[in-house]
Amino acid sequence: MEPYDAFDAIDPFIAATRAFDRLKGALAGPESAALSHHELEDLVGLQGRELLRLLFQGHLDLREKREREQTRQTQQAAVRGADGQVRPHREVGHSRLLACVFGTVIVTRCAWRGKGLSSVHPADTELSLPAHLHSHGLRRLAVLEAVRGSYDQAKEAIDRSCGKVLGKRQAEQLVVAAAADIDAFYQHKIPLPSTAATALVLQADGKGIVMRPEALRPATLKAHQQNRHALRTRLAPGEKPHRKRMATLACVFDTDPAPLRPHDVIAPPEGRGTLRSPRPGPKAHHKWLTASLIHPPEHVIAAAFDQAEARDRDHLRDWVVLVDGARHQLDLIQTEAGRRHIKVHVLLDFVHVAEYVWGAAHCFNKPGVPEAETWVAGHLTTILHGQAARAATEITTQADQTGLRGTRREGVDACVRYVTGHLDRLRYDTALAAGWPIATGPIEGACRHLIGDRLDITGSRWGLTGAEAVLKLRALIDNGDFDAYWTLHLDREHQRLYPTPDQHNYELTA
């Protein structure tokens, strides 16, 4: 005979009702008339959160009450677990804690047991409870806070809005777990289609992140361990601390053709006239970012090509690849394009070219003088017209005639080597006529945003899994895919915790 349960006669929401009455009484009482609006906000915020927690708790208690009533009505019922084994014995009153965005609540449910078998809790599946303490809503909040600021700041923000429900180390663990399905998400996500006239642009770059010693690559760790500094308190010129691990970033986006003239990019030495304003340049649409510390650069570049091919499976569009001149990146891009039999138009970032030309200008002119700006504008205009070899020849000839030697000529030689070494990637006349971008602004901005604004904050030292998770989640958020990803992540998390074909880990059997 089932024991009498006095809980059946208790309203599960009685505590919430009393909390509401207390809050209503506090707001209606004479003491509240003397409160300013921000004091009222604090009062309602604090007591209101407790009211929401009690409402949540009341609902959980009501579900537990209904579960007991349902199983009491079917005395011969048993539960079959995910292992196919039947648990014939029911025990009520099994409780666990759940930290949610309103505070901590208690989930009480029935357990079904069998000799030598683990307990099965059908209510866990129905509620899709997490494996550990923190609710999915709290996990989502922790992720969004932790990837945009330090973990200390994230904990403080959660403490203010939810109470003390999460520790710093727990936040780090939740961020790592939250990034588990990002690769799978992008393998199934279908990009928006574009017309054949829309150019497809790929960019790649690398940026170092300061790591803890155990997270460095073997060669860097060896150099770090063997490093002997000349000075005790600081690095001498040319010395490196060997504390960084390179992250590879890649970017893919669509851009509608926007033809330009050289003078739309570089103003002539005498200045632009008033009759014709500069034409607007190409704009990036549907930008997609990816990044990784763990995977090698060729893996990230292959992922970028996968994304590009998903947008243009028949290779009908113009593929434009913008790079900064790093030889290893160029080799990886050419290898990947050749493997897929794709024709790509590789362009050198025009901003990098301009920096080298400015370096040469300072060999002939003092920094900050108008003559240097005029000199640079003239040679960059020549390069934009597709005559980079001519510009290199003119710079070399001027250096010879001026008699530059030694260190005074270093800027000139560096510029000429850079330009002549990449002549086939300086066809800016073709790019401007076709309306393609010629600068790596999107990937440079991604390096600053994804890494500089979070992973490179002062004093940070990263472990490998934590840095990889933050990097991937920041890229995901920047792509605008977080909400869609979170839905998939929760679905996969449910399948991992409750693995059955019908996504339930139990069934009632007579």
Side-chain angles (χ1 to χ4, degrees):
M1 178 178 178
E2 285 287 329
Y4 173 74
D5 195 341
F7 182 76
D8 291 344
I10 300 176
D11 180 5
F13 294 99
I14 187 65
T17 302
R18 290 171 180 170
F20 174 76
D21 291 338
R22 286 194 299 270
L23 176 57
K24 183 173 68 171
L27 293 174
E31 296 84 0
S32 63
L35 298 179
S36 62
H37 83 278
H38 69 273
E39 292 173 324
L40 287 170
E41 284 180 320
D42 292 340
L43 174 65
V44 174
L46 182 61
Q47 295 192 25
R49 188 176 71 216
E50 175 62 11
L51 171 60
L52 294 176
R53 189 192 71 82
L54 291 173
L55 285 170
F56 192 17
Q57 181 67 71
H59 176 78
L60 295 174
D61 292 342
L62 180 61
R63 290 177 76 142
E64 191 265 338
K65 175 183 175 180
R66 289 172 175 170
E67 183 188 29
R68 282 188 290 106
E69 291 175 347
Q70 179 185 6
T71 55
R72 185 185 300 131
Q73 293 170 2
T74 56
Q75 291 292 329
Q76 300 301 317
V79 166
R80 190 185 302 276
D83 55 5
Q85 300 296 317
V86 174
R87 276 77 168 169
H89 307 298
R90 177 181 70 99
E91 291 183 357
V92 299
H94 280 243
S95 299
R96 57 163 292 182
L97 297 177
L98 179 67
C100 66
V101 294
F102 313 122
T104 301
V105 295
I106 300 174
V107 184
T108 306
R109 67 271 200 248
C110 296
W112 292 85
R113 308 181 64 179
K115 185 176 181 180
L117 302 174
S118 60
S119 298
V120 170
H121 306 90
D124 288 6
T125 305
E126 294 173 357
L127 287 166
S128 192
L129 294 180
H132 302 292
L133 174 65
H134 304 97
S135 73
H136 293 314
L138 186 57
R139 290 166 184 246
R140 176 190 174 95
L141 179 60
V143 168
L144 292 175
E145 291 291 344
V147 300
R148 69 177 183 177
S150 70
Y151 284 112
D152 288 324
Q153 293 172 328
K155 182 182 181 306
E156 291 172 1
I158 293 172
D159 287 348
R160 287 193 299 269
S161 61
C162 306
K164 295 186 179 298
V165 292
L166 183 70
K168 177 180 174 181
R169 182 60 58 86
Q170 292 170 325
E172 296 176 9
Q173 295 169 351
L174 294 182
V175 167
V176 172
D181 300 309
I182 292 179
D183 290 340
F185 171 75
Y186 279 119
Q187 288 175 0
H188 296 88
K189 188 173 187 295
I190 301 175
L192 293 173
S194 297
T195 65
T198 303
L200 188 58
V201 184
L202 293 83
Q203 300 179 358
D205 203 354
K207 188 172 178 62
I209 299 173
V210 179
M211 310 294 290
R212 294 197 290 268
E214 68 273 12
L216 295 172
R217 288 190 169 91
T220 309
L221 177 60
K222 183 178 179 180
H224 176 75
Q225 292 172 339
Q226 297 177 352
N227 207 6
R228 297 294 182 268
H229 299 309
L231 303 177
R232 181 175 59 85
T233 57
R234 61 175 295 169
L235 295 176
E239 287 186 337
K240 294 183 178 180
H242 301 291
R243 297 181 304 173
K244 290 187 175 182
R245 183 180 177 118
M246 289 298 295
T248 305
L249 296 87
C251 175
V252 179
F253 61 87
D254 303 325
T255 182
D256 295 323
L260 298 174
R261 305 157 299 184
H263 286 172
D264 293 321
V265 181
I266 296 294
E270 65 276 7
R272 288 193 176 96
T274 58
L275 296 179
R276 252 187 334 192
S277 58
R279 300 174 183 175
K283 304 294 184 183
H285 303 291
H286 309 138
K287 184 175 66 173
W288 177 84
L289 291 170
T290 187
S292 181
L293 267 169
I294 295 178
H295 298 299
E298 52 267 29
H299 181 279
V300 177
I301 289 174
F305 271 81
D306 288 340
Q307 172 69 200
E309 276 206 293
R311 300 183 183 207
D312 182 27
R313 298 189 183 280
D314 298 325
H315 305 165
L316 301 176
R317 300 162 61 182
D318 290 324
W319 289 45
V320 181
V321 179
L322 281 158
V323 294
D324 61 6
R327 179 57 57 183
H328 72 284
Q329 285 183 6
L330 287 168
D331 292 342
L332 292 175
I333 288 168
Q334 295 288 9
T335 299
E336 191 66 28
R339 185 176 70 85
R340 298 170 187 255
H341 307 291
I342 300 172
K343 179 183 178 181
V344 295
H345 304 275
V346 181
L347 292 174
L348 213 58
D349 173 35
F350 183 68
V351 177
H352 280 75
V353 177
E355 290 300 320
Y356 277 93
V357 175
W358 271 104
H362 292 151
C363 296
F364 302 106
N365 305 277
K366 293 181 179 179
V369 298
E371 290 79 9
E373 188 174 28
T374 300
W375 189 92
V376 169
H379 286 296
L380 288 181
T381 302
T382 301
I383 293 173
L384 286 172
H385 277 287
Q387 301 175 17
R390 172 188 158 192
T393 301
E394 291 176 350
I395 294 173
T396 302
T397 301
Q398 184 179 356
D400 292 339
Q401 293 175 348
T402 309
L404 293 179
R405 296 290 185 274
T407 57
R408 293 184 57 200
R409 187 172 174 137
E410 289 179 355
V412 168
D413 292 340
C415 176
V416 171
R417 283 196 304 270
Y418 190 74
V419 171
T420 56
H422 297 286
L423 289 177
D424 57 335
R425 302 177 188 92
L426 298 177
R427 301 302 304 174
Y428 295 125
D429 53 336
T430 301
L432 293 179
W436 301 334
I438 60 173
T440 58
I443 196 65
E444 296 287 346
C447 288
R448 290 191 297 270
H449 172 64
L450 297 188
I451 295 178
D453 292 347
R454 177 62 181 97
L455 293 159
D456 202 26
I457 59 179
T458 303
S460 60
R461 300 290 184 273
W462 290 92
L464 190 55
T465 55
E468 179 80 354
V470 170
L471 190 57
K472 285 191 170 185
L473 286 165
R474 284 181 68 85
L476 177 82
I477 293 170
D478 193 78
N479 292 341
D481 292 331
F482 182 78
D483 290 338
Y485 166 73
W486 195 252
T487 300
L488 176 138
H489 173 65
L490 294 187
D491 183 62
R492 290 198 164 215
E493 187 72 5
H494 184 94
Q495 294 178 31
R496 284 189 286 265
L497 293 175
Y498 311 107
T500 58
D502 59 353
Q503 298 184 8
H504 291 282
N505 75 331
Y506 72 96
E507 60 180 17
L508 293 180
T509 58

